[in-house]
Structure formats: C-alpha cells, structure tokens
C-alpha cells in the first residue's frame, strides 16, 4: 500500500512554472520587490478582497514584524491552541502572551473569556482562525473597541475564506497569511500581512522592516530584519493562484467524503460547518471521545501509522506547554484547549487525495471503534 501523508503540496505544471520564471533570466532581478513580487501583491489584493498586501519570506516573519510595526506593549491576549509560531511572534517582540481558552465547537478563541483577561498592560488581541474556521470576529471586534485594543489575526489557515461575503482579512486591524508549502495556497515559503484603510504609515513601516529598516539610501529608522519574498517564490504564487478555485473545489470533495463516513458516529466530533462562511477546507480535524468511541486519539494515530497513513496531532501539545514556555506563563487556565489538544487528530487533507484513500482511512477508523 502506498503511504498517505497528512498533506501534499499543490504544484502548478512544470512548464507553467518555467514559463513564469523565464523573464528572470532577462532581467536578472531576483529579489528586492521585483516585478513578480509587485504582480503577486496586486493579484492577492484583488483575490483576497483587501486593500493592502505586503509580502514576506514566510508567515512567521510577517506576523513578527507586523507586531513590531504596530508598536505593541505589555500583554497580548492569544490562544495556546495554534502552531507555535503565533506564540513565538509575541514573545520575540518582548511581549507577554496571555492565554485565553477556546470554544469547544470550532476551537477558535472564546471571545466571552477575553474581557476578564484584560489588564492595564494589554495592548492587543491575537486570535487564530484555526483550521480555517473563522473566529467570532464581531464579538472580538466589540471587546477590542471597548478597551481600545488592536486586533491582529493569525489567518495562516484561512486563505481565501470569506465571512458574510467579505474576505476574512477585512476583519481586525490586520491579518497574517502563511504561504508555506503545506498551506492551501503557497509560494514554497512565504507569507503576507493584509489590512484595509490607511493605518499610520503601516504599509511603509512593513516595507522597511522586511528590508533591514531601510527607509532610503541614507536613512535606517527601524531595527528591521531581512524577510523579503524573492521572485521565484512570487512566481510560484502567481502560478498557484491561477489554480486556487479548482484546488479548493477538490478539497471540498475530500471534506464531503470524510463527512459522509464520519458524521453521526458516536465518539467522533467534526468541526461545524460555519454559518455565513465560505470555507477553504484547509484541514480535517477530528476529535475523539475515548469513552464513547472505545479507543483514544493516540491509539488511532498509531493504528493508522501501521497502515502507512500519517496524521498529525495538531495542535498537541498546546504552545503554552512547550519546553520553552513551560513554567513561564500560566497554561492551566485553558481547560477546553487542553482537553481538545489531547483528543484531536487532523486527518490527511489535500486536493489530490482520492476518494478511495478517504474510504480506506475512514474504514480503518470505524473498524477501530469498540
Ligand atoms: C504555518 C503557520 C504559521 C507560520 O507560517 P510560516 O509561513 O510557516 O512561517 C503561523 N501560524 C499558524 C497558525 C500556522 O499554521
């Protein structure tokens, strides 16, 4: 039996990519915000329905430098149920993450629990549209407005999703997308900051920060980094963007097949189909209740592995319990996140996963039920 990995990067045709990079041999312009870079920013701005798009070498640096550009101070309220990058971006800015629990239904930050965590040191809220599920953007926006806090979304999983007909980057002060090879849309490595409106020179600040803080030839006015997306990455993005609709459609079919098999099985909880949301089918998380299902998440994961099927315990452990954060921040206050983290498994999900593969994966899972 062939192995099935948890994900498999989408790729354009070989010829299509070669055609896209051909010009680079004429121009010899390989990085530093070249033609492909500008073209991708424009195309993404229109695809995502957001005014400003600033590209980066990866999603993590996009987030880290966005937090720096926002001049945040003190504490940032966030979720521990995420990829470790979210927490690192806060801590590497000298800020303190304050962990808020998540909702048991869609695993996004529980907006009702945010207010009790706000102190005079809080400067921002950093929620995550985890698995591509949209946070309660209205409730988060209301609490932020009341307390004059910035809202920055980690939208690494949410590329192309819409809420009430608007691209998800329209919510909050700014959003970060990751274009890593494993994401729904990718530039091999890459990422972007997106936002609407003029925000105190944010566009210029982001441009400077990804290029060493250089404002012009003689002025360096910020302690920047080097996080520029190069032309080969941008070219991959231009190609992948042409196919995003069909890729998403294929993912939708995979998700539907999983749901056919797993909906209504006692001891298995699937993510809800969210109201007013156009989803991107980025991941397929399943939460196992050991008592009802008869066997637990770890056992399922090992059993599938023996059959050459590789799932991920996303997100386990919580970021707040990693070696580098343990004993440093209070992680005990997020019981729903802890419980979910112990029970969740993300099943293989990518555009080219076949129906037969999904049938086989689900067959094995259902066989394990006791
Ligand atoms: C992938 C990811 C990131 C980091 O993006 P990179 O492009 O890999 O640097 C940040 N947050 C979340 C939730 C992610 O899944």
């Amino acid at each position: 039996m062939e192995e099935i990995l948890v994900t498999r990067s989408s790729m354009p045709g070989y010829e299509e990519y070669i055609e896209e990079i051909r010009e680079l041999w004429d121009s010899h312009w390989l990085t530093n915000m070249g033609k492909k870079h500008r073209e991708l920013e424009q195309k993404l701005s229109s695809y995502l329905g957001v005014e400003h798009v600033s590209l980066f070498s990866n999603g993590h640096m996009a987030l880290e430098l966005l937090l720096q550009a926002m001049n945040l101070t003190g504490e940032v309220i966030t979720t521990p149920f995420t990829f470790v990058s979210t927490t690192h971006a806060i801590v590497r800015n000298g800020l303190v993450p304050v962990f808020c629990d998540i909702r048991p239904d869609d695993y996004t930050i529980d907006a009702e629990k945010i207010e009790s965590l706000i102190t005079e040191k809080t400067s921002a809220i950093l929620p995550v549209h985890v698995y591509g599920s949209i946070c309660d953007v209205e409730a988060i926006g209301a609490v932020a407005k009341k307390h004059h806090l910035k809202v920055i979304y980690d939208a690494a999983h949410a590329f192309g999703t819409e809420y009430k007909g608007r691209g998800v980057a329209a919510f909050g002060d700014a959003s970060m997308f990751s274009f890593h090879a494993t994401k729904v849309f990718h530039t091999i490595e890459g990422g972007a900051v997106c936002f609407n409106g003029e925000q105190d020179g944010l566009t210029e600040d982001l441009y400077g920060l990804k290029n060493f803080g250089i404002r012009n030839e003689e002025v360096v006015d910020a302690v920047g980094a080097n996080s520029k997306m190069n032309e080969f990455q941008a070219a991959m993005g231009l190609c992948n963007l042409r196919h995003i609709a069909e890729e998403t459609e294929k993912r939708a079919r995979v998700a539907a097949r999983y749901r056919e098999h797993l909906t209504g099985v006692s001891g298995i909880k699937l993510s809800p189909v969210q109201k007013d949301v156009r989803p991107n089918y980025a991941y397929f998380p399943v939460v196992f209740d050991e008592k009802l299902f008869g066997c637990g998440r770890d056992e399922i994961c090992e059993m599938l592995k023996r059959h050459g099927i590789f799932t991920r315990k996303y997100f386990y452990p919580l970021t707040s319990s990693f070696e580098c954060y343990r004993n440093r921040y209070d992680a005990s206050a997020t019981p729903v996140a802890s419980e979910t983290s112990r029970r969740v498994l993300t099943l293989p999900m990518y555009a080219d996963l076949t129906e037969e593969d999904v049938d086989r994966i689900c067959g094995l899972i259902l066989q394990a039920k006791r």
Side-chain angles (χ1 to χ4, degrees), residues 58-61 63 82-83 85-86 128 154 156-157 176-180 182-183 189-191 283 315:
N58 58 64
H60 177 81
M61 286 310 293
L63 185 59
T82 180
F83 183 53
S85 165
T86 318
V128 179
D154 179 334
H157 298 174
M176 174 278 281
F177 290 100
S178 162
F179 305 150
H180 183 258
T182 56
K183 302 293 193 326
E189 291 266 5
Y283 297 88
F315 289 96

Side-chain angles (χ1 to χ4, degrees), residues 158-290:
F159 185 86
T161 60
E162 286 180 2
Y163 176 60
K164 294 189 174 163
R166 298 173 74 197
V168 76
F171 301 95
D173 293 280
S175 297
M176 174 278 281
F177 290 100
S178 162
F179 305 150
H180 183 258
T182 56
K183 302 293 193 326
V184 167
F185 164 81
H186 77 86
T187 59
I188 310 170
E189 291 266 5
V193 168
C194 299
F195 60 96
N196 278 330
E198 287 315 318
Q199 297 187 32
D200 288 342
L202 184 56
T203 301
E204 294 72 23
D205 290 348
L206 291 169
Y207 192 96
L209 286 172
K210 72 177 125 181
N211 191 28
F212 307 99
I214 296 173
R215 180 75 53 174
N216 64 43
E217 272 176 37
E218 297 184 1
V219 178
V220 173
D221 61 1
V223 185
N226 179 5
S227 312
K228 304 184 293 290
M229 178 181 283
N230 70 47
E231 291 291 278
F232 290 82
Q233 290 172 285
M236 180 60 88
L238 288 169
C239 293
N240 282 334
L241 198 54
R242 286 183 202 118
H243 305 287
I244 190 72
E246 69 197 70
E247 290 289 303
T248 307
E249 181 50 40
K250 283 162 130 188
R251 283 175 175 272
R253 287 206 286 272
V254 173
R257 193 76 178 180
Y258 271 127
R259 283 186 186 276
E260 269 176 47
H261 286 292
L262 301 178
T263 301
V265 176
S266 100
I268 282 188
K269 186 159 90 64
L270 306 181
S271 284
V273 175
Q274 291 184 302
K275 198 169 162 289
D276 298 321
V277 168
R278 182 182 84 170
N280 67 355
Y281 312 99
Y283 297 88
F284 201 87
V286 174
V287 170
F288 291 92
D289 181 327
E290 187 164 355

Side-chain angles (χ1 to χ4, degrees), residues 4-262:
I4 303 175
L5 303 184
V6 70
T7 188
R8 186 165 186 268
S9 300
S10 299
M11 285 177 87
Y14 176 72
E15 299 297 336
E16 183 180 350
Y17 185 64
I18 296 302
E19 198 47 52
E20 193 65 50
I21 61 175
R22 197 178 295 279
E23 297 166 56
L24 302 177
W25 267 260
D26 300 326
S27 67
H28 286 237
W29 189 303
L30 306 183
T31 185
N32 285 55
M33 295 58 129
K35 187 167 164 242
K36 302 287 173 198
H37 187 285
R38 289 195 299 274
E39 194 181 335
L40 184 59
E41 281 190 343
Q42 278 158 17
K43 294 230 156 94
L44 284 174
S45 162
S46 106
Y47 181 78
L48 296 169
V50 65
E51 287 168 34
H52 303 280
V53 175
S54 181
L55 297 174
F56 287 83
S57 54
N58 58 64
H60 177 81
M61 286 310 293
L63 185 59
E64 193 172 313
L65 295 177
L66 170 61
L67 298 182
Q68 185 180 347
M70 289 268 183
N71 293 313
L72 303 181
T73 56
E75 299 171 356
V76 176
I77 297 173
T78 188
T79 166
F81 192 72
T82 180
F83 183 53
V84 73
S85 165
T86 318
T87 306
H88 281 350
I90 296 170
V91 176
R92 288 171 57 83
N93 269 286
L95 302 164
V96 177
V98 173
F99 296 106
C100 180
D101 212 351
I102 58 172
R103 300 197 287 195
D105 59 341
D106 63 14
Y107 322 122
T108 62
I109 201 166
D110 190 339
E112 286 179 15
K113 294 186 180 151
I114 292 176
E115 200 155 25
S116 67
L117 299 172
I118 296 174
T119 70
E120 70 279 3
K121 292 192 194 135
T122 311
S123 63
I125 306 170
L126 175 32
V128 179
H129 298 301
V130 68
Y131 305 130
S133 292
I134 310 300
C135 296
D136 188 346
V137 291
E138 281 133 3
I140 293 167
V143 72
K145 192 167 174 206
K146 181 170 163 200
H147 295 273
H148 310 287
L149 304 174
K150 295 278 188 204
V151 180
I152 293 156
Y153 283 105
D154 179 334
H157 298 174
F159 185 86
T161 60
E162 286 180 2
Y163 176 60
K164 294 189 174 163
R166 298 173 74 197
V168 76
F171 301 95
D173 293 280
S175 297
M176 174 278 281
F177 290 100
S178 162
F179 305 150
H180 183 258
T182 56
K183 302 293 193 326
V184 167
F185 164 81
H186 77 86
T187 59
I188 310 170
E189 291 266 5
V193 168
C194 299
F195 60 96
N196 278 330
E198 287 315 318
Q199 297 187 32
D200 288 342
L202 184 56
T203 301
E204 294 72 23
D205 290 348
L206 291 169
Y207 192 96
L209 286 172
K210 72 177 125 181
N211 191 28
F212 307 99
I214 296 173
R215 180 75 53 174
N216 64 43
E217 272 176 37
E218 297 184 1
V219 178
V220 173
D221 61 1
V223 185
N226 179 5
S227 312
K228 304 184 293 290
M229 178 181 283
N230 70 47
E231 291 291 278
F232 290 82
Q233 290 172 285
M236 180 60 88
L238 288 169
C239 293
N240 282 334
L241 198 54
R242 286 183 202 118
H243 305 287
I244 190 72
E246 69 197 70
E247 290 289 303
T248 307
E249 181 50 40
K250 283 162 130 188
R251 283 175 175 272
R253 287 206 286 272
V254 173
R257 193 76 178 180
Y258 271 127
R259 283 186 186 276
E260 269 176 47
H261 286 292
L262 301 178

